[in-house]
Amino acid sequence: MYQAGFFGRMFICVEWFSYIIYLNFLWVLFTLVGLLVFGIFPSTTAMFAVTRKWVNGERDISIWAVFWRTYVSCFWKINLLGSIFVGSGVVIFADFFFLRSTHSLLGHWIHLGLLPVMIVYFVTLLYIFPVYVHYDTKTFQYLRNSFVIGLRQPLQTLALLLILYVFFSVIRGIVPFFCISTMSVLIMWIANRGFRKFPTSKQTEL
């Protein structure tokens, strides 16, 4: 039982800080286990599976058990989804920077037309992991749901993008220690609010 008062609150803060660091350590470790390319998507999904339980009030879970079970079970499916993201991202950004360097009027307009495509891409990427651990559905349905949830709460999505910018540009020196797992908590918390507004009658929650 926690102590009451200042020391009790301090103990809770230190305990949760250690959980955040431990989860971040697992994320780094299993990203490396998968040789980066094959590890980053499963380890990120496993991290969100843990933070989803925290956000939903399940505080006494075994972090290792949830992380490992999710990592193994989703390895191939999430890497397939990740390959779609990586491939489409390479095409979008290669076209964007190529067209920006051209001086033709047509290239200029196509370049501007890619801006909303990039916004869709970033919003979908922002919510894809919370959606994956929350729903059990078809591959392309994950993509659709991620974008719709981000679109239905634009202020929260903009706030998340701003927070991401601050984390990764202003205080990047401490990112390897706990920022990744901290961001997963924030993203999962906001995404969880969006889940309540999104129809789920034809979907099965994980």
Side-chain angles (χ1 to χ4, degrees):
M1 181 179 294
Y2 297 124
Q3 293 180 332
F6 174 77
F7 290 104
R9 289 191 292 270
M10 282 294 296
F11 180 83
I12 294 173
C13 289
V14 171
E15 183 180 46
W16 276 103
F17 188 69
S18 67
Y19 290 163
I20 290 292
I21 293 177
Y22 176 52
L23 182 58
N24 208 93
F25 167 77
L26 290 178
W27 179 82
V28 172
L29 176 63
F30 281 89
T31 297
L32 296 176
V33 167
L35 304 177
L36 296 179
V37 176
F38 299 106
I40 189 166
F41 284 96
S43 60
T44 303
T45 304
M47 177 177 62
F48 273 93
V50 174
T51 56
R52 173 178 175 268
K53 289 187 176 296
W54 289 347
V55 167
N56 286 319
E58 299 179 51
R59 309 295 168 80
D60 297 324
I61 61 169
S62 168
I63 297 174
W64 164 256
V66 174
F67 191 99
W68 173 249
R69 182 173 65 247
T70 306
Y71 186 91
V72 172
S73 65
C74 79
F75 189 87
W76 296 110
K77 188 175 181 180
I78 195 63
N79 269 314
L80 172 61
L81 196 57
S83 66
I84 295 173
F85 261 106
V86 173
S88 58
V90 168
V91 172
I92 291 170
F93 286 97
D95 288 344
F96 180 82
F97 288 109
F98 171 76
L99 292 169
R100 191 173 67 171
S101 64
T102 64
H103 301 287
S104 68
L105 183 61
L106 178 61
H108 174 73
W109 284 109
I110 297 176
H111 168 259
L112 292 178
L114 282 175
L115 289 176
V117 176
M118 293 174 68
I119 293 173
V120 170
Y121 181 84
F122 277 119
V123 171
T124 306
L125 181 61
L126 190 64
Y127 288 98
I128 190 65
F129 294 106
V131 166
Y132 187 91
V133 299
H134 192 76
Y135 299 117
D136 184 13
T137 186
K138 297 179 181 179
T139 300
F140 286 98
Q141 194 73 14
Y142 288 122
L143 302 176
R144 174 186 174 274
N145 292 355
S146 299
F147 177 67
V148 171
I149 289 172
L151 193 65
R152 288 191 175 188
Q153 42 184 10
L155 294 180
Q156 292 93 327
T157 300
L158 288 173
L160 270 179
L161 291 172
L162 179 60
I163 293 170
L164 281 169
Y165 171 77
V166 171
F167 266 79
F168 291 101
S169 63
V170 179
I171 52 177
R172 67 182 69 180
I174 59 174
V175 165
F177 298 102
F178 66 90
C179 282
I180 302 297
S181 51
T182 301
M183 283 307 307
S184 74
V185 174
L186 292 172
I187 294 172
M188 192 69 235
W189 182 76
I190 290 178
N192 204 49
R193 293 166 60 89
F195 294 152
R196 301 169 192 164
K197 307 173 186 178
F198 194 72
T200 61
S201 58
K202 295 183 180 179
Q203 298 169 339
T204 303
E205 186 174 331
L206 288 173

